[in-house]
mmCIF file with all atom_site columns, all heavy atoms in Angstrom:
data_model
loop_
_atom_site.group_PDB
_atom_site.id
_atom_site.type_symbol
_atom_site.label_atom_id
_atom_site.label_alt_id
_atom_site.label_comp_id
_atom_site.label_asym_id
_atom_site.label_entity_id
_atom_site.label_seq_id
_atom_site.pdbx_PDB_ins_code
_atom_site.Cartn_x
_atom_site.Cartn_y
_atom_site.Cartn_z
_atom_site.occupancy
_atom_site.B_iso_or_equiv
_atom_site.pdbx_formal_charge
_atom_site.auth_seq_id
_atom_site.auth_comp_id
_atom_site.auth_asym_id
_atom_site.auth_atom_id
_atom_site.pdbx_PDB_model_num
ATOM 1   N N   . ASP A 1 398 ? 132.518 46.893 62.043 1.00 0.00 ? 398 ASP A N   1
ATOM 2   C CA  . ASP A 1 398 ? 132.516 48.160 61.300 1.00 0.00 ? 398 ASP A CA  1
ATOM 3   C C   . ASP A 1 398 ? 131.372 49.010 61.872 1.00 0.00 ? 398 ASP A C   1
ATOM 4   O O   . ASP A 1 398 ? 130.268 48.777 61.699 1.00 0.00 ? 398 ASP A O   1
ATOM 5   C CB  . ASP A 1 398 ? 132.257 47.862 59.851 1.00 0.00 ? 398 ASP A CB  1
ATOM 6   C CG  . ASP A 1 398 ? 132.475 49.110 58.931 1.00 0.00 ? 398 ASP A CG  1
ATOM 7   O OD1 . ASP A 1 398 ? 132.543 50.181 59.494 1.00 0.00 ? 398 ASP A OD1 1
ATOM 8   O OD2 . ASP A 1 398 ? 132.475 48.877 57.733 1.00 0.00 ? 398 ASP A OD2 1
ATOM 9   N N   . ARG A 1 400 ? 131.013 52.031 61.019 1.00 0.00 ? 400 ARG A N   1
ATOM 10  C CA  . ARG A 1 400 ? 130.532 52.976 60.008 1.00 0.00 ? 400 ARG A CA  1
ATOM 11  C C   . ARG A 1 400 ? 129.550 52.286 59.016 1.00 0.00 ? 400 ARG A C   1
ATOM 12  O O   . ARG A 1 400 ? 129.697 52.418 57.782 1.00 0.00 ? 400 ARG A O   1
ATOM 13  C CB  . ARG A 1 400 ? 131.652 53.693 59.298 1.00 0.00 ? 400 ARG A CB  1
ATOM 14  C CG  . ARG A 1 400 ? 132.259 54.763 60.164 1.00 0.00 ? 400 ARG A CG  1
ATOM 15  C CD  . ARG A 1 400 ? 133.476 55.446 59.548 1.00 0.00 ? 400 ARG A CD  1
ATOM 16  N NE  . ARG A 1 400 ? 133.119 56.179 58.324 1.00 0.00 ? 400 ARG A NE  1
ATOM 17  C CZ  . ARG A 1 400 ? 132.637 57.386 58.265 1.00 0.00 ? 400 ARG A CZ  1
ATOM 18  N NH1 . ARG A 1 400 ? 132.290 57.971 59.421 1.00 0.00 ? 400 ARG A NH1 1
ATOM 19  N NH2 . ARG A 1 400 ? 132.359 57.929 57.130 1.00 0.00 ? 400 ARG A NH2 1
ATOM 20  N N   . GLY A 1 403 ? 121.593 51.530 59.083 1.00 0.00 ? 403 GLY A N   1
ATOM 21  C CA  . GLY A 1 403 ? 120.438 50.708 58.833 1.00 0.00 ? 403 GLY A CA  1
ATOM 22  C C   . GLY A 1 403 ? 119.999 50.666 57.342 1.00 0.00 ? 403 GLY A C   1
ATOM 23  O O   . GLY A 1 403 ? 120.364 51.512 56.606 1.00 0.00 ? 403 GLY A O   1
ATOM 24  N N   . GLN A 1 408 ? 109.210 48.198 51.504 1.00 0.00 ? 408 GLN A N   1
ATOM 25  C CA  . GLN A 1 408 ? 108.084 49.031 51.885 1.00 0.00 ? 408 GLN A CA  1
ATOM 26  C C   . GLN A 1 408 ? 107.110 49.225 50.711 1.00 0.00 ? 408 GLN A C   1
ATOM 27  O O   . GLN A 1 408 ? 107.519 49.478 49.598 1.00 0.00 ? 408 GLN A O   1
ATOM 28  C CB  . GLN A 1 408 ? 108.477 50.376 52.439 1.00 0.00 ? 408 GLN A CB  1
ATOM 29  C CG  . GLN A 1 408 ? 109.366 50.407 53.588 1.00 0.00 ? 408 GLN A CG  1
ATOM 30  C CD  . GLN A 1 408 ? 110.840 50.446 53.199 1.00 0.00 ? 408 GLN A CD  1
ATOM 31  O OE1 . GLN A 1 408 ? 111.302 49.779 52.191 1.00 0.00 ? 408 GLN A OE1 1
ATOM 32  N NE2 . GLN A 1 408 ? 111.621 51.230 53.824 1.00 0.00 ? 408 GLN A NE2 1
ATOM 33  N N   . THR A 1 412 ? 102.507 49.332 54.129 1.00 0.00 ? 412 THR A N   1
ATOM 34  C CA  . THR A 1 412 ? 103.376 48.809 55.158 1.00 0.00 ? 412 THR A CA  1
ATOM 35  C C   . THR A 1 412 ? 102.984 49.446 56.514 1.00 0.00 ? 412 THR A C   1
ATOM 36  O O   . THR A 1 412 ? 102.944 50.712 56.506 1.00 0.00 ? 412 THR A O   1
ATOM 37  C CB  . THR A 1 412 ? 104.818 49.020 54.879 1.00 0.00 ? 412 THR A CB  1
ATOM 38  O OG1 . THR A 1 412 ? 105.108 48.406 53.607 1.00 0.00 ? 412 THR A OG1 1
ATOM 39  C CG2 . THR A 1 412 ? 105.743 48.597 55.922 1.00 0.00 ? 412 THR A CG2 1
ATOM 40  N N   . TRP A 1 541 ? 132.518 41.788 48.005 1.00 0.00 ? 541 TRP A N   1
ATOM 41  C CA  . TRP A 1 541 ? 131.350 41.357 47.259 1.00 0.00 ? 541 TRP A CA  1
ATOM 42  C C   . TRP A 1 541 ? 131.168 42.124 45.971 1.00 0.00 ? 541 TRP A C   1
ATOM 43  O O   . TRP A 1 541 ? 131.452 43.348 45.886 1.00 0.00 ? 541 TRP A O   1
ATOM 44  C CB  . TRP A 1 541 ? 130.098 41.606 48.137 1.00 0.00 ? 541 TRP A CB  1
ATOM 45  C CG  . TRP A 1 541 ? 128.865 41.144 47.542 1.00 0.00 ? 541 TRP A CG  1
ATOM 46  C CD1 . TRP A 1 541 ? 128.250 39.916 47.552 1.00 0.00 ? 541 TRP A CD1 1
ATOM 47  C CD2 . TRP A 1 541 ? 127.986 41.921 46.682 1.00 0.00 ? 541 TRP A CD2 1
ATOM 48  N NE1 . TRP A 1 541 ? 127.090 39.856 46.898 1.00 0.00 ? 541 TRP A NE1 1
ATOM 49  C CE2 . TRP A 1 541 ? 126.886 41.093 46.270 1.00 0.00 ? 541 TRP A CE2 1
ATOM 50  C CE3 . TRP A 1 541 ? 127.995 43.199 46.144 1.00 0.00 ? 541 TRP A CE3 1
ATOM 51  C CZ2 . TRP A 1 541 ? 125.912 41.445 45.452 1.00 0.00 ? 541 TRP A CZ2 1
ATOM 52  C CZ3 . TRP A 1 541 ? 126.941 43.585 45.346 1.00 0.00 ? 541 TRP A CZ3 1
ATOM 53  C CH2 . TRP A 1 541 ? 125.957 42.726 44.944 1.00 0.00 ? 541 TRP A CH2 1
ATOM 54  N N   . LYS A 1 550 ? 111.931 41.467 44.323 1.00 0.00 ? 550 LYS A N   1
ATOM 55  C CA  . LYS A 1 550 ? 110.950 40.505 43.703 1.00 0.00 ? 550 LYS A CA  1
ATOM 56  C C   . LYS A 1 550 ? 110.795 39.212 44.499 1.00 0.00 ? 550 LYS A C   1
ATOM 57  O O   . LYS A 1 550 ? 109.700 38.698 44.642 1.00 0.00 ? 550 LYS A O   1
ATOM 58  C CB  . LYS A 1 550 ? 111.415 40.271 42.262 1.00 0.00 ? 550 LYS A CB  1
ATOM 59  C CG  . LYS A 1 550 ? 111.191 41.459 41.345 1.00 0.00 ? 550 LYS A CG  1
ATOM 60  C CD  . LYS A 1 550 ? 111.737 41.328 39.956 1.00 0.00 ? 550 LYS A CD  1
ATOM 61  C CE  . LYS A 1 550 ? 111.298 42.435 39.172 1.00 0.00 ? 550 LYS A CE  1
ATOM 62  N NZ  . LYS A 1 550 ? 111.777 43.805 39.670 1.00 0.00 ? 550 LYS A NZ  1
ATOM 63  N N   . ASP A 1 554 ? 107.414 37.751 46.115 1.00 0.00 ? 554 ASP A N   1
ATOM 64  C CA  . ASP A 1 554 ? 107.046 36.365 45.917 1.00 0.00 ? 554 ASP A CA  1
ATOM 65  C C   . ASP A 1 554 ? 106.687 35.671 47.230 1.00 0.00 ? 554 ASP A C   1
ATOM 66  O O   . ASP A 1 554 ? 105.675 34.989 47.393 1.00 0.00 ? 554 ASP A O   1
ATOM 67  C CB  . ASP A 1 554 ? 108.195 35.504 45.240 1.00 0.00 ? 554 ASP A CB  1
ATOM 68  C CG  . ASP A 1 554 ? 108.340 35.947 43.813 1.00 0.00 ? 554 ASP A CG  1
ATOM 69  O OD1 . ASP A 1 554 ? 107.445 36.578 43.166 1.00 0.00 ? 554 ASP A OD1 1
ATOM 70  O OD2 . ASP A 1 554 ? 109.438 35.628 43.191 1.00 0.00 ? 554 ASP A OD2 1
ATOM 71  N N   . TRP B 1 348 ? 101.411 57.863 53.041 1.00 0.00 ? 348 TRP B N   1
ATOM 72  C CA  . TRP B 1 348 ? 101.624 56.606 53.728 1.00 0.00 ? 348 TRP B CA  1
ATOM 73  C C   . TRP B 1 348 ? 102.419 56.762 54.978 1.00 0.00 ? 348 TRP B C   1
ATOM 74  O O   . TRP B 1 348 ? 102.178 56.269 56.052 1.00 0.00 ? 348 TRP B O   1
ATOM 75  C CB  . TRP B 1 348 ? 102.308 55.587 52.748 1.00 0.00 ? 348 TRP B CB  1
ATOM 76  C CG  . TRP B 1 348 ? 103.071 54.511 53.488 1.00 0.00 ? 348 TRP B CG  1
ATOM 77  C CD1 . TRP B 1 348 ? 102.489 53.427 54.109 1.00 0.00 ? 348 TRP B CD1 1
ATOM 78  C CD2 . TRP B 1 348 ? 104.425 54.409 53.655 1.00 0.00 ? 348 TRP B CD2 1
ATOM 79  N NE1 . TRP B 1 348 ? 103.489 52.665 54.675 1.00 0.00 ? 348 TRP B NE1 1
ATOM 80  C CE2 . TRP B 1 348 ? 104.724 53.189 54.405 1.00 0.00 ? 348 TRP B CE2 1
ATOM 81  C CE3 . TRP B 1 348 ? 105.566 55.181 53.313 1.00 0.00 ? 348 TRP B CE3 1
ATOM 82  C CZ2 . TRP B 1 348 ? 106.020 52.791 54.769 1.00 0.00 ? 348 TRP B CZ2 1
ATOM 83  C CZ3 . TRP B 1 348 ? 106.806 54.751 53.625 1.00 0.00 ? 348 TRP B CZ3 1
ATOM 84  C CH2 . TRP B 1 348 ? 107.070 53.592 54.368 1.00 0.00 ? 348 TRP B CH2 1
ATOM 85  N N   . ASP B 1 398 ? 108.238 49.052 36.179 1.00 0.00 ? 398 ASP B N   1
ATOM 86  C CA  . ASP B 1 398 ? 108.277 47.795 36.951 1.00 0.00 ? 398 ASP B CA  1
ATOM 87  C C   . ASP B 1 398 ? 107.395 48.015 38.219 1.00 0.00 ? 398 ASP B C   1
ATOM 88  O O   . ASP B 1 398 ? 107.848 48.718 39.118 1.00 0.00 ? 398 ASP B O   1
ATOM 89  C CB  . ASP B 1 398 ? 109.666 47.392 37.170 1.00 0.00 ? 398 ASP B CB  1
ATOM 90  C CG  . ASP B 1 398 ? 109.811 46.023 37.792 1.00 0.00 ? 398 ASP B CG  1
ATOM 91  O OD1 . ASP B 1 398 ? 108.723 45.402 38.218 1.00 0.00 ? 398 ASP B OD1 1
ATOM 92  O OD2 . ASP B 1 398 ? 110.897 45.458 37.821 1.00 0.00 ? 398 ASP B OD2 1
ATOM 93  N N   . ARG B 1 400 ? 106.687 45.750 40.163 1.00 0.00 ? 400 ARG B N   1
ATOM 94  C CA  . ARG B 1 400 ? 107.153 44.795 41.212 1.00 0.00 ? 400 ARG B CA  1
ATOM 95  C C   . ARG B 1 400 ? 108.473 45.277 41.775 1.00 0.00 ? 400 ARG B C   1
ATOM 96  O O   . ARG B 1 400 ? 109.451 44.559 41.928 1.00 0.00 ? 400 ARG B O   1
ATOM 97  C CB  . ARG B 1 400 ? 107.286 43.369 40.701 1.00 0.00 ? 400 ARG B CB  1
ATOM 98  C CG  . ARG B 1 400 ? 105.857 42.740 40.612 1.00 0.00 ? 400 ARG B CG  1
ATOM 99  C CD  . ARG B 1 400 ? 105.931 41.329 39.986 1.00 0.00 ? 400 ARG B CD  1
ATOM 100 N NE  . ARG B 1 400 ? 106.597 40.411 40.833 1.00 0.00 ? 400 ARG B NE  1
ATOM 101 C CZ  . ARG B 1 400 ? 106.134 39.808 41.896 1.00 0.00 ? 400 ARG B CZ  1
ATOM 102 N NH1 . ARG B 1 400 ? 104.876 40.087 42.316 1.00 0.00 ? 400 ARG B NH1 1
ATOM 103 N NH2 . ARG B 1 400 ? 106.842 38.947 42.594 1.00 0.00 ? 400 ARG B NH2 1
ATOM 104 N N   . GLY B 1 403 ? 109.923 49.819 48.244 1.00 0.00 ? 403 GLY B N   1
ATOM 105 C CA  . GLY B 1 403 ? 110.698 50.897 48.846 1.00 0.00 ? 403 GLY B CA  1
ATOM 106 C C   . GLY B 1 403 ? 112.015 50.437 49.353 1.00 0.00 ? 403 GLY B C   1
ATOM 107 O O   . GLY B 1 403 ? 112.257 49.222 49.604 1.00 0.00 ? 403 GLY B O   1
ATOM 108 N N   . GLN B 1 408 ? 119.725 54.708 58.310 1.00 0.00 ? 408 GLN B N   1
ATOM 109 C CA  . GLN B 1 408 ? 119.142 54.948 59.635 1.00 0.00 ? 408 GLN B CA  1
ATOM 110 C C   . GLN B 1 408 ? 120.184 54.655 60.714 1.00 0.00 ? 408 GLN B C   1
ATOM 111 O O   . GLN B 1 408 ? 120.937 53.706 60.633 1.00 0.00 ? 408 GLN B O   1
ATOM 112 C CB  . GLN B 1 408 ? 117.908 53.973 59.902 1.00 0.00 ? 408 GLN B CB  1
ATOM 113 C CG  . GLN B 1 408 ? 116.847 54.140 58.842 1.00 0.00 ? 408 GLN B CG  1
ATOM 114 C CD  . GLN B 1 408 ? 116.972 53.056 57.775 1.00 0.00 ? 408 GLN B CD  1
ATOM 115 O OE1 . GLN B 1 408 ? 118.047 52.782 57.245 1.00 0.00 ? 408 GLN B OE1 1
ATOM 116 N NE2 . GLN B 1 408 ? 115.814 52.478 57.413 1.00 0.00 ? 408 GLN B NE2 1
ATOM 117 N N   . THR B 1 412 ? 117.834 58.623 64.117 1.00 0.00 ? 412 THR B N   1
ATOM 118 C CA  . THR B 1 412 ? 117.064 59.042 62.982 1.00 0.00 ? 412 THR B CA  1
ATOM 119 C C   . THR B 1 412 ? 115.612 59.407 63.451 1.00 0.00 ? 412 THR B C   1
ATOM 120 O O   . THR B 1 412 ? 115.003 58.741 64.105 1.00 0.00 ? 412 THR B O   1
ATOM 121 C CB  . THR B 1 412 ? 117.033 57.969 61.907 1.00 0.00 ? 412 THR B CB  1
ATOM 122 O OG1 . THR B 1 412 ? 118.352 57.698 61.461 1.00 0.00 ? 412 THR B OG1 1
ATOM 123 C CG2 . THR B 1 412 ? 116.188 58.433 60.731 1.00 0.00 ? 412 THR B CG2 1
ATOM 124 N N   . HIS B 1 544 ? 129.493 47.049 42.981 1.00 0.00 ? 544 HIS B N   1
ATOM 125 C CA  . HIS B 1 544 ? 129.681 47.161 44.353 1.00 0.00 ? 544 HIS B CA  1
ATOM 126 C C   . HIS B 1 544 ? 128.732 48.222 44.946 1.00 0.00 ? 544 HIS B C   1
ATOM 127 O O   . HIS B 1 544 ? 128.361 49.190 44.307 1.00 0.00 ? 544 HIS B O   1
ATOM 128 C CB  . HIS B 1 544 ? 131.052 47.715 44.688 1.00 0.00 ? 544 HIS B CB  1
ATOM 129 C CG  . HIS B 1 544 ? 132.150 46.737 44.347 1.00 0.00 ? 544 HIS B CG  1
ATOM 130 N ND1 . HIS B 1 544 ? 132.605 45.733 45.108 1.00 0.00 ? 544 HIS B ND1 1
ATOM 131 C CD2 . HIS B 1 544 ? 132.906 46.746 43.191 1.00 0.00 ? 544 HIS B CD2 1
ATOM 132 C CE1 . HIS B 1 544 ? 133.537 45.078 44.517 1.00 0.00 ? 544 HIS B CE1 1
ATOM 133 N NE2 . HIS B 1 544 ? 133.746 45.654 43.284 1.00 0.00 ? 544 HIS B NE2 1
ATOM 134 N N   . LYS B 1 550 ? 128.937 54.500 53.798 1.00 0.00 ? 550 LYS B N   1
ATOM 135 C CA  . LYS B 1 550 ? 130.032 55.305 54.255 1.00 0.00 ? 550 LYS B CA  1
ATOM 136 C C   . LYS B 1 550 ? 130.007 56.640 53.573 1.00 0.00 ? 550 LYS B C   1
ATOM 137 O O   . LYS B 1 550 ? 130.313 57.728 54.209 1.00 0.00 ? 550 LYS B O   1
ATOM 138 C CB  . LYS B 1 550 ? 131.373 54.552 53.929 1.00 0.00 ? 550 LYS B CB  1
ATOM 139 C CG  . LYS B 1 550 ? 131.432 53.375 54.842 1.00 0.00 ? 550 LYS B CG  1
ATOM 140 C CD  . LYS B 1 550 ? 132.663 52.536 54.555 1.00 0.00 ? 550 LYS B CD  1
ATOM 141 C CE  . LYS B 1 550 ? 132.870 51.413 55.686 1.00 0.00 ? 550 LYS B CE  1
ATOM 142 N NZ  . LYS B 1 550 ? 131.696 50.590 55.760 1.00 0.00 ? 550 LYS B NZ  1
ATOM 143 N N   . ASP B 1 554 ? 129.818 60.203 55.460 1.00 0.00 ? 554 ASP B N   1
ATOM 144 C CA  . ASP B 1 554 ? 130.814 61.363 55.176 1.00 0.00 ? 554 ASP B CA  1
ATOM 145 C C   . ASP B 1 554 ? 130.038 62.652 54.863 1.00 0.00 ? 554 ASP B C   1
ATOM 146 O O   . ASP B 1 554 ? 130.411 63.742 55.391 1.00 0.00 ? 554 ASP B O   1
ATOM 147 C CB  . ASP B 1 554 ? 131.672 60.980 53.898 1.00 0.00 ? 554 ASP B CB  1
ATOM 148 C CG  . ASP B 1 554 ? 132.616 59.851 54.179 1.00 0.00 ? 554 ASP B CG  1
ATOM 149 O OD1 . ASP B 1 554 ? 132.919 59.640 55.267 1.00 0.00 ? 554 ASP B OD1 1
ATOM 150 O OD2 . ASP B 1 554 ? 133.101 59.283 53.150 1.00 0.00 ? 554 ASP B OD2 1
#
Side-chain angles (χ1 to χ4, degrees):
Chain A
D398 189 347
R400 283 177 66 80
Q408 302 93 319
T412 300
W541 181 92
K550 290 175 172 59
D554 290 341
Chain B
W348 158 74
D398 189 347
R400 284 177 65 79
Q408 303 94 319
T412 300
H544 297 276
K550 290 175 172 56
D554 290 342

